[in-house]
Amino acid sequence: MDSSSDRRLKPAAKRGSVAVDHRTMKKRKVADRSEPERIGNSAGNQTPTEKTVDKDIKQVQVAVSLMCHQCQRNDKGGVVFCSSCNRKRYCYICIDKWYPGKTREEFETLCPFCFGNCNCKACLREVPVLRHPEVDASVKLQRLVYLLYKALPVLRHIHREQSLELEIESKRTDTQLQEIDITRTKLAENERLYCDNCNTSIIGFYRSCPNTSCSYDLCLTCCQELREGCQPGGVEAEASHEQFAESLHNHNSKRARSKTPSKRHGWESELAPTGSDFQADMSFPLPEWKANSDGNIPCPPKQCGGCGTALLELRRIYKADWVAKLLNNAEDLSRDYMPLDADVTEKCSLCQPYLIEGKTNPEVRRAAFRDDSNDNFLYSPNALDMPDDEIEHFQRHWMKGEPVVVRNVLEKTSGLSWEPMVMWRALRETGSKVKFKEETRSVKAIDCWDWCGVEINIHQFFQGYLEGRMHKSRWPEMLKLKDWPSSTSFEERLPRHGAEFLAALPYRDYTDPNSGLLNFASKLPENSLKPDLGPKTYIAYGFSEELGRGDSVTKLHCDVSDAVNVLTHTNKVNIPSWQRKSIDKLRKEFDKEDSYELYDEALGDVDGRSKYKALNHDQKAENGANRISPSSQMDQSISSIAEGMNGQLETRNMENSISLTSTEVSDPSRTSELEHVQSASSSASSNTSSKEERPRFDFIDDIVSGDPKLEPKQGLEKDSLVNENGAEVVLGAAVWDIFRRQDVPKLIEYLRKHKKEFRHINNQPVDSVIHPIHDQTLFLNERHKKQLKREFNIEPWTFEQHLGEAVFIPAGCPHQVRNRQSCIKVALDFVSPENVEECLQLTGEFRLLPKNHRAKEDKLEVKKMTLYAVSKAVREVKELMMAK
């Protein structure tokens, strides 16, 4: 409709010597439909010339379309015309509703369509084309050689592993074999091969059963373990098997005492099969499986998944000598490379906590108080001050395994709204042919109260994000929505937001998933199966203080790859005083309960039960029972295994939770009204940061870093501070704890020692763990972090993430997050040259986990990724050298 109306607007209306066009009317703010009657003198006092002019204006007004570009309606009253494009119009109602931070004058100067951040349905669903400036040839060459230099250790590891297996095969056959002599298995580009024993991705050489009815495949690492007399999968896998059997026995004992079987299943921890599924596995010992004395490996017995009748034969996937040629080329091309002179034990010479004038350096953020340490401060540059191709300072910290926090990344984008209603509107589709219809009506969220799944109407979820929700006990209900829409379709379902996110990311050579020079993940062949690295959206409610129960958190875990996490939207929910009183009362009761259940402080009994166990039981009954829940009260370590094997989700009875702004739950059928749900707290929510940077400070152990004169402002619930001049300072919306790699052994020791002091599924204490970090079942609150410091003298980097900040997390650094406000974060995984070795080591750790553990599968395929990254880099380096 716009195009036809625009064509009618082009010619000016002429009569005699008078010409009036729509641009003249815009300058005079003639936008309302009733405006013509207010132009000129009254009809009774007009001269003939004035009547003629008035008639001309009215004729032009008839031709002028008042169709709003946003809502495509012309019956909403006044509209504002854009003086830049002279085409688009936005009605007053849409301006106030969808662009709360903008004025009508701004729309008249430059409309959102011209600015590139229009959030109407049509614009939101356009697929933009991202254009990045060309990298200088010499810079590109230098960075590709750097990639080759950093990839050498992994390349040598792969080559050594394959050469050893070829040597063993030569000795067995008493023949000097070459790679060309090994039978090749050709895989299609979209095929992937996994080890049938440890689930690790197979690349290069492997052994396979020649029996066509079996075809058991075994990776080289499992082959080596068998020859060493170990159970393939490692000692940790054996210990995990024993722990699992023990915890299953404990669970069965508990279940025998239970009067009614539980129907709950865990969602966040993606828990595993029920006890009966594993009883069959453990009712008999696994048969012995050993390598022969000559190095031959028999196919495992049927109980282990093989046929037990044939010997495994050596096979290869890639062309003969491909790895050897890649290694030789990489060594030749990087031989003269001079690495960056950065001593990992020294403080960065470019980062000084204080400037010459004595002021705090805004590019350095204090995040820890370790004694005699050079890494208590984190590098925190401002995106607005960074050149597009700057990576050297970043690399100085990144190669040390330090997180980096980049401020104001959203300021370099078009300013597209990340309001939840805008995102929902961009995603929303109706009709019988909707591809992902279910995601537009309901979502599967996680309730942080008991870590169980919740199927909730999307209207209700977003209303709770803006206004808050609570249980009937008045305890805040903290819901989390992970990976919405599913990451495999993020850029397809939200193309504008996907492009906006990628445009916001700094250090594009590292983060660009398609063309990042230093991103190994971007080097995979176009049609090959690629790991799901995002972008992924995380939407969660938040609470300003640490509740101790039901906090909105991401529990401690460790990613197998590098990651960047951007806080794109926040919203503060105000807690009324009557609810806060109830919260304070319940917290005292929960503290007493924790003293008994977690810290062994004995208290009196109530009808044969612990007083506080009785309290816990009653509280659960009050908080709602008809929810998605674990299939049994199994040990929390078991809870972290076996993704997606618990049966189908059931709809939770949402009447057990209520909105903070009403006494009833919104009608689930009113999904279509979400567009009309306006945040009462929209003044507190925002999706863009101010161009003029505000002061930012972080709380660490109740100490304000940067300025001891800052104090919490009374009544602001620690969501803001006031300095000595009385000026308000905004605090972050999410609190991050990131541990150093070198502290991981001590951290694991602490967690194993104190594992029973944590709660997880159903708010029950954790009995045992398989891996205290990879299980993702534990969260260290302030009490635990202080205790960790006392007992092991380690502490994490603790800092707050503000709106528009990008947090870079190195692979191998365990981390956890607590949300202090409602937050929308978007994350992307990548693989950097500095951390590719760490990714390989983590893959080895995940390999030792039980078969159905949530982190077991080798989704990253870092060896395969490295080979293709080196192959592409070698080709491009040679082309650049020839072009010199």
Side-chain angles (χ1 to χ4, degrees):
M1 293 184 180
D2 279 342
S3 59
S4 60
S5 60
D6 291 337
R7 283 195 295 270
R8 291 198 298 269
L9 289 174
K10 287 179 182 177
K14 295 184 179 180
R15 182 159 304 197
S17 60
V18 179
V20 181
D21 66 13
H22 69 284
R23 286 169 291 186
T24 304
M25 289 188 290
K26 280 191 293 180
K27 290 175 182 177
R28 296 174 57 186
K29 298 184 181 178
V30 182
D32 200 293
R33 285 178 298 172
S34 58
E35 195 73 19
E37 284 75 14
R38 298 199 297 272
I39 298 178
N41 300 324
S42 62
N45 298 325
Q46 286 180 320
T47 64
T49 303
E50 289 172 333
K51 289 181 179 179
T52 302
V53 173
D54 189 49
K55 184 177 180 181
D56 287 336
I57 291 175
K58 288 183 179 181
Q59 287 177 342
V60 174
Q61 284 283 343
V62 172
V64 171
S65 171
L66 300 178
M67 181 75 72
C68 171
H69 175 74
Q70 182 87 16
C71 63
Q72 294 292 298
R73 294 178 61 173
N74 60 5
D75 59 349
K76 287 190 174 182
V79 296
V80 173
F81 291 79
C82 175
S83 60
S84 176
C85 64
N86 295 324
R87 295 177 59 194
K88 302 300 178 185
R89 303 157 296 280
Y90 290 80
C91 69
Y92 296 166
I93 295 176
C94 285
I95 291 173
D96 295 337
K97 178 178 180 180
W98 297 108
Y99 306 90
K102 280 186 167 288
T103 64
R104 296 177 188 177
E105 287 73 18
E106 288 177 298
F107 272 73
E108 186 176 1
T109 303
L110 191 70
C111 70
F113 181 86
C114 294
F115 200 79
N117 59 12
C118 177
N119 59 46
C120 73
K121 290 182 182 179
C123 290
L124 285 174
R125 294 175 186 175
E126 286 182 354
V127 181
V129 179
L130 286 175
R131 292 184 177 88
H132 301 311
E134 284 291 326
V135 181
D136 181 78
S138 61
V139 173
K140 184 176 181 180
L141 176 61
Q142 181 186 19
R143 292 180 182 177
L144 288 173
V145 172
Y146 175 74
L147 181 149
L148 294 176
Y149 176 80
K150 287 292 186 179
L152 283 176
V154 177
L155 267 182
R156 288 170 180 148
H157 169 80
I158 297 171
H159 182 256
R160 184 168 55 250
E161 196 176 41
Q162 294 189 170
S163 299
L164 178 62
E165 196 67 23
L166 188 62
E167 184 181 337
I168 291 173
E169 187 71 7
S170 295
K171 288 180 179 179
R172 187 188 69 81
T173 59
D174 199 22
T175 307
Q176 188 60 42
L177 296 175
Q178 304 294 326
E179 287 195 17
I180 194 68
D181 301 319
I182 306 301
T183 304
R184 182 184 179 189
T185 302
K186 292 187 178 180
L187 299 178
E189 286 185 326
N190 59 351
E191 281 187 291
R192 195 179 281 176
L193 196 62
Y194 285 96
C195 175
D196 286 315
N197 180 64
C198 69
N199 283 9
T200 303
S201 175
I202 290 176
I203 63 105
F205 285 11
Y206 70 104
R207 290 193 175 269
S208 181
C209 180
N211 191 337
T212 55
S213 61
C214 176
S215 300
Y216 189 93
D217 298 322
L218 196 67
C219 70
L220 297 187
T221 307
C222 285
C223 292
Q224 186 62 27
E225 288 174 348
L226 277 169
R227 294 189 184 106
E228 293 171 355
C230 303
Q231 180 69 26
V235 177
E236 186 172 343
E238 289 187 52
S240 299
H241 191 82
E242 293 168 4
Q243 286 180 11
F244 187 85
E246 179 185 351
S247 56
L248 180 63
H249 173 74
N250 293 337
H251 157 65
N252 288 337
S253 300
K254 291 179 183 178
R255 190 174 184 182
R257 293 194 299 267
S258 176
K259 292 183 180 180
T260 56
S262 172
K263 295 182 180 179
R264 305 171 71 82
H265 77 262
W267 180 253
E268 167 75 353
S269 55
E270 299 170 1
L271 291 199
T274 61
S276 58
D277 294 329
F278 284 98
Q279 276 181 317
D281 260 358
M282 297 175 185
S283 58
F284 53 86
L286 290 175
E288 193 174 34
W289 180 26
K290 290 183 177 181
N292 297 339
S293 58
D294 61 355
N296 258 328
I297 296 177
C299 189
K302 289 184 178 180
Q303 296 92 326
C304 297
C307 65
T309 61
L311 293 176
L312 300 183
E313 296 180 355
L314 189 60
R315 297 280 188 270
R316 62 181 171 90
I317 295 175
Y318 300 126
K319 293 179 180 179
D321 302 315
W322 186 51
V323 174
K325 290 176 182 177
L326 288 178
L327 178 58
N328 291 334
N329 280 324
E331 288 177 334
D332 290 342
L333 294 173
S334 63
R335 182 169 288 112
D336 297 328
Y337 176 77
M338 296 295 293
L340 180 68
D341 184 19
D343 188 345
V344 296
T345 62
E346 296 294 328
K347 183 186 296 185
C348 175
S349 60
L350 302 178
C351 289
Q352 298 299 328
Y354 300 98
L355 302 175
I356 298 176
E357 309 85 52
K359 296 180 181 179
T360 303
N361 185 355
E363 293 199 350
V364 176
R365 181 178 302 191
R366 179 146 203 172
F369 294 87
R370 306 181 188 97
D371 297 330
D372 301 322
S373 177
N374 293 319
D375 57 6
N376 287 327
F377 291 84
L378 295 180
Y379 177 47
S380 182
N382 189 338
L384 297 175
D385 300 331
M386 289 166 46
D388 288 338
D389 60 347
E390 196 283 317
I391 64 169
E392 282 76 14
H393 194 172
F394 168 78
Q395 286 177 330
R396 287 177 180 268
H397 295 273
W398 195 244
M399 66 177 55
K400 296 179 183 180
E402 296 178 8
V404 173
V405 184
V406 183
R407 297 168 287 142
N408 296 324
V409 298
L410 296 181
E411 295 295 342
K412 301 190 78 171
T413 64
S414 69
L416 181 67
S417 174
W418 289 89
E419 290 274 350
M421 291 180 296
V422 171
M423 293 183 67
W424 180 83
R425 195 165 182 257
L427 179 80
R428 184 182 173 195
E429 299 174 16
T430 56
S432 58
K433 295 183 179 180
V434 177
K435 188 176 181 181
F436 301 98
K437 194 172 183 178
E438 66 281 357
E439 286 187 354
T440 66
R441 295 183 176 179
S442 64
V443 289
K444 295 168 184 175
I446 302 156
D447 188 344
C448 297
W449 168 256
D450 55 8
W451 295 93
C452 293
V454 175
E455 187 165 358
I456 180 174
N457 178 279
I458 197 169
H459 176 173
Q460 294 177 354
F461 178 83
F462 282 137
Q463 189 175 27
Y465 176 95
L466 296 170
E467 301 171 356
R469 292 178 65 85
M470 65 180 177
H471 297 285
K472 284 191 174 180
S473 64
R474 296 185 177 179
W475 190 257
E477 182 179 36
M478 297 288 110
L479 297 183
K480 290 173 52 182
L481 187 57
K482 180 181 178 181
D483 200 6
W484 176 88
S486 56
S487 57
T488 51
S489 63
F490 181 89
E491 291 175 277
E492 176 187 353
R493 306 290 309 282
L494 295 169
R496 286 286 306 286
H497 286 88
E500 185 87 351
F501 171 72
L502 294 179
L505 294 179
Y507 312 123
R508 200 166 288 128
D509 281 345
Y510 282 88
T511 57
D512 192 309
N514 302 313
S515 59
L517 283 177
L518 299 175
N519 185 1
F520 279 50
S522 70
K523 312 295 184 182
L524 290 170
E526 185 64 31
N527 298 321
S528 66
L529 280 175
K530 299 179 181 179
D532 179 13
L533 300 180
K536 302 175 183 179
T537 307
Y538 300 88
I539 307 176
Y541 301 176
F543 195 81
S544 58
E545 304 160 28
E546 190 173 83
L547 292 167
R549 293 279 185 94
D551 284 294
S552 175
V553 300
T554 297
K555 297 200 174 187
L556 186 69
H557 67 288
C558 187
D559 294 323
V560 72
S561 63
D562 303 306
V564 57
N565 182 297
V566 179
L567 181 57
T568 60
H569 186 272
T570 65
N571 179 74
K572 178 187 172 185
V573 174
N574 294 314
I575 306 298
S577 58
W578 53 266
Q579 187 192 5
R580 184 161 290 280
K581 291 179 181 178
S582 299
I583 293 172
D584 292 341
K585 181 180 178 182
L586 286 171
R587 284 172 82 171
K588 292 178 181 178
E589 295 176 350
F590 293 154
D591 287 344
K592 293 178 182 178
E593 182 179 344
D594 288 345
S595 296
Y596 173 81
E597 288 195 348
L598 304 182
Y599 309 115
D600 296 325
E601 298 175 11
L603 295 167
D605 289 349
V606 179
D607 298 330
R609 295 183 295 169
S610 156
K611 173 182 176 181
Y612 297 103
K613 284 187 178 178
L615 169 66
N616 190 39
H617 178 274
D618 297 339
Q619 178 66 29
K620 286 176 187 171
E622 187 179 8
N623 278 334
N626 297 329
R627 332 157 33 103
I628 309 167
S629 45
S631 55
S632 60
Q633 293 279 353
M634 293 182 74
D635 170 280
Q636 268 67 12
S637 66
I638 304 175
S639 357
S640 62
I641 21 184
E643 182 175 4
M645 298 183 64
N646 272 312
Q648 300 299 317
L649 289 171
E650 302 171 8
T651 303
R652 167 182 172 180
N653 180 0
M654 296 311 297
E655 292 182 359
N656 290 303
S657 307
I658 61 177
S659 168
L660 288 181
T661 55
S662 71
T663 56
E664 296 180 344
V665 177
S666 304
D667 183 355
S669 65
R670 295 173 58 197
T671 306
S672 60
E673 295 185 11
L674 180 59
E675 293 184 11
H676 303 290
V677 177
Q678 293 303 302
S679 168
S681 57
S682 59
S683 60
S685 71
S686 55
N687 66 306
T688 56
S689 27
S690 172
K691 295 280 183 183
E692 182 180 349
E693 179 141 1
R694 298 174 293 179
R696 294 172 177 178
F697 298 87
D698 297 318
F699 274 113
I700 305 174
D701 293 333
D702 297 326
I703 299 174
V704 182
S705 64
D707 192 345
K709 297 178 182 178
L710 288 167
E711 298 178 355
K713 184 176 179 181
Q714 186 68 26
L716 289 178
E717 303 166 1
K718 287 190 178 179
D719 278 319
S720 60
L721 300 171
V722 288
N723 60 20
E724 56 186 348
N725 299 322
E728 186 174 331
V729 179
V730 178
L731 296 180
V735 180
W736 285 72
D737 296 304
I738 303 179
F739 288 88
R740 302 184 300 180
R741 290 173 187 152
Q742 61 264 41
D743 293 334
V744 170
K746 289 184 177 180
L747 175 62
I748 291 176
E749 186 179 350
Y750 172 85
L751 294 173
R752 290 197 184 280
K753 177 182 177 182
H754 295 279
K755 59 182 177 290
K756 295 187 178 181
E757 297 174 13
F758 295 86
R759 296 182 183 274
H760 191 48
I761 298 297
N762 295 332
N763 248 323
Q764 292 298 303
V766 173
D767 287 334
S768 64
V769 294
I770 290 173
H771 192 290
I773 296 175
H774 300 328
D775 290 357
Q776 199 173 345
T777 58
L778 310 178
F779 178 86
L780 288 91
N781 56 22
E782 290 303 317
R783 171 180 179 142
H784 277 293
K785 285 190 284 184
K786 291 176 182 178
Q787 190 170 338
L788 176 64
K789 178 78 171 180
R790 285 195 306 269
E791 294 183 14
F792 291 88
N793 196 31
I794 63 170
E795 62 177 291
W797 288 291
T798 299
F799 59 91
E800 294 191 341
Q801 184 183 21
H802 299 261
L803 181 66
E805 289 189 340
V807 178
F808 283 78
I809 310 105
C813 289
H815 55 280
Q816 60 179 29
V817 188
R818 182 176 69 84
N819 299 308
R820 303 180 71 254
Q821 297 178 13
S822 294
C823 295
I824 296 178
K825 305 187 192 83
V826 186
L828 178 74
D829 297 335
F830 60 98
V831 178
S832 64
E834 295 84 354
N835 295 327
V836 66
E837 284 186 83
E838 187 69 28
C839 296
L840 184 61
Q841 181 175 329
L842 284 167
T843 299
E845 287 185 21
F846 290 171
R847 174 182 169 274
L848 300 178
L849 297 171
K851 279 221 171 189
N852 294 315
H853 195 281
R854 57 173 294 279
K856 175 68 173 180
E857 185 181 349
D858 178 17
K859 298 178 181 179
L860 190 63
E861 295 188 289
V862 66
K863 290 182 180 179
K864 171 183 172 182
M865 196 178 284
T866 300
L867 292 178
Y868 280 110
V870 170
S871 177
K872 188 172 182 179
V874 165
R875 187 167 58 251
E876 292 180 351
V877 167
K878 288 183 176 180
E879 290 173 357
L880 289 168
M881 286 181 167
M882 289 178 63
K884 275 188 174 182

